[in-house]
Amino acid sequence: MTFPDLVKTRHSAVNFKENEKMTEEDFKQIFELTKLAPSAYNLQFTHYLVITDEEKKERVKELSHNQYKIHTASAVIIVMGNKSSVEEVEAEKIYGPMKMLKMMDELDYEMTMEQIKGFKEKLTANDKDLDVELARNVGIHAMLFMLSAKHYGFDTCPMHVHNVEELRKEFNIPNYLEPIMMITIGKSVDKVRPRGYRKPVGEFVSFNGY
């Protein structure tokens, strides 16, 4: 499937084939592509909680206004922003091996770590800035996840996440992970519907000012 075909055939699934199981290998191949998504300073802010257990899925459904698509989906995925990604120890895990393998020299390493330190100070000085950064990085990552899933024959639907504190308690989600959205995944049983109206390009794209 060409990339334009992939984009055009990806629709948000309203309902899924019930009892369609997905394996860890299915998810692994999707995430092997997803992990290539860009992120600020390559700090890889996104973390996924994949829920395939039927009882646990039903609990998410209860906390999500009983949306039926969660019941029929092969899995529901809580997509979270990792606030600890800007910590020095996390940056060292990414850039330390690059320095050791001579992919970057000592000067580049020190400059990059200093830039990340300043980036962290900016984000942690204002919760709103951190929230925006998490949302930006998670959104990019999640879109690539949905396209990767479609590439491997699975359908998805992005969803709001509800009752965050209850979800935290139910799944022991630590405070440094911030749930931002959910994605249901499986094999769609929807009839192929005409895509909803999209604005012409000229209505949402401007060049060189207004």
Side-chain angles (χ1 to χ4, degrees), residues 134-160:
L134 291 178
R136 176 165 39 237
N137 283 271
V138 167
I140 292 170
H141 218 277
M143 188 68 245
L144 186 54
F145 172 85
M146 290 188 286
L147 289 172
S148 299
K150 188 63 179 176
H151 171 73
Y152 286 111
F154 297 101
D155 300 293
T156 54
C157 184
M159 303 172 63
H160 288 90

Side-chain angles (χ1 to χ4, degrees), residues 157-174:
C157 184
M159 303 172 63
H160 288 90
V161 59
H162 301 278
N163 297 308
V164 170
E165 292 310 311
E166 287 85 348
L167 277 174
R168 283 193 186 281
K169 294 175 184 176
E170 189 72 29
F171 296 100
N172 298 312
I173 298 172

Side-chain angles (χ1 to χ4, degrees), residues 51-165:
I51 301 167
T52 57
D53 179 88
E54 292 299 326
E55 290 185 6
K56 292 180 179 180
K57 266 205 305 131
E58 288 303 307
R59 182 60 181 141
V60 177
K61 176 174 172 282
E62 292 171 8
L63 294 171
S64 305
H65 305 304
N66 286 303
Q67 296 183 69
Y68 189 69
K69 69 183 79 170
I70 297 173
H71 170 73
T72 58
S74 299
V76 59
I77 302 166
I78 302 173
V79 191
M80 298 172 285
N82 186 345
K83 297 177 182 178
S84 71
S85 294
V86 294
E87 297 298 332
E88 184 176 354
V89 65
E90 295 298 321
E92 286 176 349
K93 288 180 184 178
I94 294 169
Y95 287 98
M98 294 177 67
K99 182 179 71 170
M100 184 178 66
L101 294 171
K102 309 298 184 184
M103 296 171 67
M104 62 192 313
D105 60 28
E106 184 71 32
L107 179 60
D108 284 342
Y109 175 80
E110 293 298 335
M111 288 177 59
T112 300
M113 296 301 290
E114 191 63 28
Q115 288 172 343
I116 291 172
K117 180 180 177 181
F119 181 56
K120 173 192 173 182
E121 290 173 354
K122 175 180 181 296
L123 293 183
T124 54
N126 187 328
D127 287 342
K128 183 178 179 181
D129 287 343
L130 180 57
D131 290 343
V132 169
E133 194 63 44
L134 291 178
R136 176 165 39 237
N137 283 271
V138 167
I140 292 170
H141 218 277
M143 188 68 245
L144 186 54
F145 172 85
M146 290 188 286
L147 289 172
S148 299
K150 188 63 179 176
H151 171 73
Y152 286 111
F154 297 101
D155 300 293
T156 54
C157 184
M159 303 172 63
H160 288 90
V161 59
H162 301 278
N163 297 308
V164 170
E165 292 310 311

